[in-house]
Amino acid sequence: MRSINSQVSPKIAEIIEAATARFTAQCYELYGLPPLGGLVKTGDIYGIVCHAETAGMEPGRRPIARGKDEATEAAVYDSSPQLLKLLRSEFTASVVGYTDGEKIYQYLPPRPTRIHSFVYICQPEEVREFSGSFDFFNILLNASLTVPTEELIAAALRQMSLAQEDPRAFLVAAGKELANILSTDFIRLKNILGRLL
Amino acid sequence: MGQNSSTHLTNGNKYMNQGNNQRLGIVIGASLEKGVDVRLDAPISVEDMVVGRYVTIQGRQRRFFGMITDVSLKFSDDRLSISPPDVADPFIAEILNGTSTFGTIHVTPMLTIGGDAKAVLEGPQPVKTIPAHFSTVNLATEEDIEGVFGKEDEERFSIGNPLDMETKLCLNLEEFARRSNGIFGKSGTGKTFLTRILLIGMLQKSKAVNLIFDMHSEYGWAGTREGGGTVKGLKQLFPDKVAVFTLDEMSSKRRKVSTDFVVKIGLNEITPEDIAILRATLNLTDLAVEAAYQLRKILGRDWLNKILNLPEEEVEELLKGADIHESSFQSLKRGLGTIGRLGFVVQEAKEDAVKVILDYLQSGRNVVLEFGRYQEIAAYLLVANMLSRRIYTRYQQQMEEAIAEDDQAKKPRPLVITIEEAHKFLDTEVADKTIFGTIAREMRKYNVTLLVIDQRPSGISEDVMSQLGTKITCLLDNDRDIDSVLAGVSGKNELKAVLSRLAPRQQALIFGHAVPMPVAFQPVAYDTKFYAGLNKKTEKTDGKDIEKLWE
């Protein structure tokens, strides 16, 4: 049995909120966020990073400005090492598919992931495997997101293209697929295509 | 495979060529009446699609054979036309090509091939249904064309290549010669060359003999080529099979034509019927024509001579007795005078031209009758009509005798009469009166058919046009001419698009009885290479190097 496995890469985050169509994870490192549009995996479930934020640990307690007397931004953190414990980075990924260990299905999984599952960034090989099909466009186009859909799809394709042997050919193929899906909405298509290169 | 070198698409192989066929696209809509719409695949450029080319459509149970009759550009979203994308960016252009912007072609299906084994044996059939949704459309291959039109063989003769193809387009000339046919086209589009090729084809591949009324003396011996140079005539290529007759010995001698017979027409051979069809040409009144019939009755066989030479007083008496008005008589006399002055018209012909022609034809030799300097239409009409009528009568007799005795061997050889300026013989007014109208209508009953050549087909009577078996037409640009040529053909509007876009020279459209479906084609070049090809074929039969003989 061929296994699709990305567990070789170090885990970067842990699930703190899980739903059918999305999951939110907290990064182990402050600012250790995956890029927008990056393909991540938790358990058998794939997600595309669609939102990220860094804020104080406790809701309602906002960070205050500390750098008035510091020369550099790094010095702010150096002089207040507790900041690393008081702040946290979180990201949300839109679920775009899952695997049964053999095949990748680009539609929503039967049940959501579990809290405290580890989250990994997919390695180029796995990204290539996943991006063999563009069925996930449909999930993204219909998801309710905090960022514009066009931005997210373009970002995801840019990220995926980095893992390809021929990034341009990949983007052309993806563009054609989008052109078919968005055949009646040229403005939207134009917005995505303009953000691909 | 163009840009689809990636494996990113799940159907990444969809543009792969299948065998030798070049895949063009898929069927996206069709109606039997209006034809099939095909969406082109992304790598196929609309600019490579030209009307008149052949495609095959692989349906579920059968294959369809059709012709491209229209090419168009489509958008998936109208907003593309309002705010066009930046196609200067090759990336955007590549993505939009074949997706949001795509080409379509309109295909008129002509034939179906196959279905079950029995249908395959029957060969291509006229189309009675349409292919299913998303059937694959390929450019027709050489084998496909060969499958439909057949290979060059005992009966088939290659007349050219379908447009943009290397395949030979073969015509079954035995079948062709069985009906009356027409060659049309504007002046200078290559009708004469096409006719020469067809005549040579019939000479070689069919049992029919030809009688050619050669108005401009360009078939029998050397003809001219537009833009200088001469081309060989039929007799130069086939000295054994072709005889050149002439009406104008002087002209033939000047052109160094080896003629076989000089045709003279006796005044006593001309009948009032011959005059009737010249009514418009000779500017005769109806009453004058009427007078001709009456005078023939009164004066007998030598009527024409008498009218022209009768002294005044006798004329007066004659007119009184016959109740003919003086002005009608003068009109008739003036007209007959024109005929009398023609150099080949004599008091009485020593030899019966019709008999000589018939003897030649019966021995299997083709006859080209040159008109030399007598290029006026009156002379052509008179001679062609007179001779043909009498030849036809003889054919009719022989045929009837053969039928009565039930003897196939007695049937006269099939005869094809070639006439130029056909609308003068076959216009609505005279088609009923000339023999050619009869031949066209009664077709092959008596083994005589016509090959009409004309530049104004709209002038030819509808009755006659509808009886023509195979029509070959070069470029026509008058709407009425186009309509009249295409009248009654299925897919007329589509063919119109093809016809009006033929190149002004050496391209033609053939459709009708002898071909399974209409084809736009480029006739074979009539040059030394063509002669050499003929040589090879004739060498087998008579072993003579004709090319050398005439150099």
Side-chain angles (χ1 to χ4, degrees):
Chain A
M1 186 167 115
R2 191 172 58 91
S3 72
I4 296 162
N5 197 333
S6 62
Q7 259 78 341
V8 287
S9 67
K11 56 185 193 271
I12 57 157
E14 195 173 312
I15 300 291
I16 54 171
E17 223 181 290
T20 303
R22 67 169 69 189
F23 54 79
T24 304
Q26 184 184 336
C27 294
Y28 292 123
E29 299 292 329
L30 184 63
Y31 302 122
L33 292 164
L36 178 69
L39 185 67
V40 294
K41 189 180 179 187
T42 171
D44 291 335
I45 294 174
Y46 291 99
I48 281 177
V49 177
C50 61
H51 174 79
E53 63 177 30
T54 300
M57 279 294 185
E58 291 173 46
R61 189 172 157 191
R62 301 177 68 178
I64 50 166
R66 291 168 187 269
K68 192 170 185 236
D69 300 323
E70 304 291 351
T72 63
E73 285 176 15
V76 176
Y77 286 89
D78 289 344
S79 58
S80 311
Q82 78 282 9
L83 281 179
L84 296 179
K85 299 288 174 200
L86 292 174
L87 296 175
R88 59 177 184 174
S89 292
E90 283 177 21
F91 66 89
T92 304
S94 187
V95 174
V96 288
Y98 68 101
T99 175
D100 58 6
E102 226 177 312
K103 201 177 162 210
I104 293 173
Y105 302 94
Q106 293 198 350
Y107 38 82
L108 294 179
R111 51 189 72 80
T113 183
R114 289 156 41 140
I115 301 292
H116 298 304
S117 299
F118 299 151
V119 181
Y120 303 84
I121 288 187
C122 291
Q123 295 301 298
E125 192 191 331
E126 192 163 16
V127 172
R128 272 202 295 279
E129 191 130 15
F130 184 84
S131 57
S133 161
F134 295 124
D135 293 346
F136 66 93
F137 285 159
N138 188 47
I139 303 180
L140 293 186
L141 284 169
N142 292 306
S144 61
L145 301 167
T146 50
V147 294
T149 315
E150 292 88 337
E151 288 286 349
L152 179 63
I153 292 179
L157 287 173
R158 284 195 309 268
Q159 289 296 327
M160 287 177 179
S161 73
L162 299 176
Q164 311 294 329
E165 280 163 22
D166 183 351
R168 190 176 185 279
F170 169 77
L171 289 176
V172 168
K176 283 186 178 289
E177 185 67 22
L178 279 169
N180 286 333
I181 298 172
L182 296 174
S183 60
T184 55
D185 195 348
F186 174 62
I187 305 301
R188 220 169 160 196
L189 174 67
K190 197 166 149 186
N191 284 332
I192 299 176
L193 297 185
R195 287 165 170 76
L196 283 185
L197 287 180
Chain B
M1 271 199 29
Q3 62 265 58
N4 282 282
S5 52
S6 68
T7 50
H8 301 117
L9 286 173
T10 42
N11 47 359
N13 276 343
K14 81 179 190 186
Y15 303 125
M16 277 289 256
N17 288 349
Q18 296 163 349
N20 294 328
N21 294 7
Q22 190 188 359
R23 182 185 145 126
L24 296 182
I26 52 168
V27 172
I28 52 169
S31 102
L32 187 56
E33 205 164 297
K34 295 194 183 113
V36 180
D37 290 313
V38 177
R39 180 181 167 143
L40 294 176
D41 288 343
I44 305 294
S45 161
V46 269
E47 294 175 16
D48 290 340
M49 297 295 105
V50 290
V51 289
R53 284 195 83 166
Y54 279 107
V55 298
T56 57
I57 305 172
Q58 185 61 54
R60 300 239 170 90
Q61 281 120 38
R62 56 194 90 219
R63 289 178 82 205
F64 294 77
F65 215 87
M67 185 197 261
I68 300 178
T69 46
D70 197 8
V71 186
S72 48
L73 293 175
K74 295 267 169 72
F75 295 119
S76 61
D77 182 358
D78 284 343
R79 279 178 285 185
L80 268 153
S81 58
I82 298 162
S83 60
D86 175 19
V87 287
D89 181 348
F91 177 69
I92 301 282
E94 197 175 336
I95 288 174
L96 295 184
N97 174 29
T99 53
S100 299
T101 60
F102 53 92
T104 62
I105 51 175
H106 189 77
V107 173
T108 306
M110 307 274 183
L111 297 171
T112 53
I113 308 164
D116 48 28
K118 192 175 152 232
V120 174
L121 283 179
E122 279 170 2
Q125 298 295 315
V127 72
K128 289 198 189 76
T129 179
I130 51 171
H133 267 117
F134 312 126
S135 298
T136 314
V137 180
N138 295 307
L139 261 191
T141 60
E142 320 242 312
E143 294 86 61
D144 291 329
I145 299 278
E146 221 170 71
V148 171
F149 294 101
K151 282 186 191 168
E152 205 168 0
D153 58 19
E154 290 294 300
E155 289 180 344
R156 290 190 175 84
F157 182 78
S158 162
I159 55 167
N161 320 84
L163 288 194
D164 301 311
M165 296 197 83
E166 297 291 311
T167 334
K168 281 182 178 173
L169 172 66
C170 295
L171 191 60
N172 184 335
L173 286 167
E174 195 63 54
E175 204 55 46
F176 179 80
R178 262 186 212 145
R179 311 227 171 171
S180 291
N181 303 300
I183 297 178
F184 307 105
K186 273 192 351 171
S187 166
T189 47
K191 288 191 299 292
T192 310
F193 278 85
L194 205 49
T195 310
R196 275 197 202 108
I197 290 164
L198 282 169
L199 289 173
I200 288 173
M202 282 193 273
L203 231 86
Q204 288 196 316
K205 302 283 168 97
S206 78
K207 290 179 200 80
V209 282
N210 291 276
L211 170 60
I212 301 148
F213 291 106
D214 186 0
M215 188 176 195
H216 307 292
S217 312
E218 51 197 0
Y219 295 109
W221 206 252
T224 53
R225 185 193 288 280
E226 237 172 70
T230 55
V231 293
K232 292 191 181 191
L234 297 179
K235 186 161 180 186
Q236 285 162 298
L237 294 171
F238 300 97
D240 296 345
K241 287 187 175 174
V242 180
V244 176
F245 285 24
T246 183
L247 282 173
D248 182 359
E249 207 179 355
M250 298 304 289
S251 154
S252 301
K253 270 188 185 152
R254 268 199 304 278
R255 290 183 298 114
K256 299 196 171 61
V257 181
S258 80
T259 50
D260 298 72
F261 184 73
V262 180
V263 175
K264 298 280 178 203
I265 305 281
L267 274 175
N268 54 358
E269 293 172 48
I270 300 172
T271 64
E273 285 84 4
D274 299 325
I275 303 302
I277 66 150
L278 293 172
R279 195 189 71 79
T281 321
L282 295 179
N283 207 8
L284 300 177
T285 60
D286 282 336
L287 286 172
V289 176
E290 202 53 44
Y293 283 99
Q294 261 177 298
L295 291 169
R296 166 75 173 80
K297 231 182 258 169
I298 299 166
L299 299 173
R301 207 164 169 254
D302 208 20
W303 67 288
L304 225 158
N305 192 15
K306 282 183 183 155
I307 291 176
L308 290 176
N309 301 316
L310 228 49
E312 289 279 326
E313 50 274 24
E314 275 185 54
V315 168
E316 227 166 274
E317 219 167 283
L318 178 70
L319 294 185
K320 253 185 222 158
D323 198 15
I324 294 170
H325 199 271
E326 170 74 20
S327 64
S328 306
F329 181 77
Q330 288 309 332
S331 161
L332 177 64
K333 193 173 170 184
R334 216 175 22 251
L336 296 181
T338 314
I339 294 174
R341 281 191 297 277
L342 292 169
F344 56 84
V345 177
V346 292
Q347 288 282 342
E348 202 164 332
K350 284 188 210 105
E351 257 182 298
D352 184 358
V354 172
K355 191 176 171 302
V356 180
I357 292 175
L358 276 171
D359 287 347
Y360 269 82
L361 293 177
Q362 286 310 318
S363 67
R365 290 188 73 182
N366 300 272
V367 175
V368 180
L369 178 58
E370 291 196 337
F371 279 69
R373 68 173 182 276
Y374 305 111
Q375 296 199 358
E376 59 272 77
I377 194 71
Y380 192 69
L381 278 175
L382 176 74
V383 174
N385 191 52
M386 258 188 70
L387 296 181
S388 302
R389 186 157 40 83
R390 290 167 57 197
I391 289 167
Y392 180 75
T393 314
R394 292 282 289 279
Y395 257 75
Q396 195 173 359
Q397 285 167 2
Q398 282 189 28
M399 197 67 185
E400 279 164 358
E401 281 164 22
I403 292 169
E405 292 173 29
D406 202 13
D407 184 355
Q408 289 291 330
K410 275 204 172 169
K411 281 187 182 173
R413 266 171 197 275
L415 170 66
V416 179
I417 300 179
T418 301
I419 47 168
E420 296 179 277
E421 303 287 342
H423 64 272
K424 303 267 185 194
F425 298 93
L426 297 169
D427 72 18
T428 324
E429 198 193 331
V430 297
D432 296 340
K433 296 179 193 139
T434 65
I435 185 61
F436 298 108
T438 317
I439 298 177
R441 274 190 303 273
E442 294 186 7
M443 292 201 310
R444 54 212 176 104
K445 251 187 253 170
Y446 301 112
N447 267 4
V448 183
T449 55
L450 290 182
L451 178 61
V452 301
I453 304 166
D454 202 53
Q455 41 188 312
R456 292 304 309 267
S458 59
I460 297 177
S461 128
E462 263 176 54
D463 282 2
V464 174
M465 279 305 268
S466 67
Q467 294 304 321
L468 295 182
T470 309
K471 294 174 195 163
I472 304 179
T473 167
C474 302
L475 179 70
L476 286 170
D477 51 14
N478 180 297
D479 274 347
R480 283 178 52 211
D481 288 336
I482 294 178
D483 282 337
S484 102
V485 167
L486 294 177
V489 183
S490 75
K492 180 183 167 185
N493 289 332
E494 285 80 5
L495 286 179
K496 228 172 166 173
V498 176
L499 178 55
S500 56
R501 280 169 189 77
L502 289 177
R505 294 186 54 140
Q506 298 188 352
Q507 285 192 359
L509 179 74
I510 178 170
F511 54 93
H513 177 72
V515 281
M517 65 178 180
V519 210
F521 70 102
Q522 184 154 28
V524 287
Y526 192 82
D527 53 16
T528 32
K529 207 175 143 202
F530 178 69
Y531 310 148
L534 296 175
N535 254 356
K536 254 182 242 154
K537 285 165 206 159
T538 44
E539 259 170 16
K540 280 177 210 155
T541 50
D542 57 28
K544 280 185 193 163
D545 191 350
I546 297 159
E547 189 74 7
K548 270 187 192 150
L549 264 177
W550 297 100
E551 264 167 13

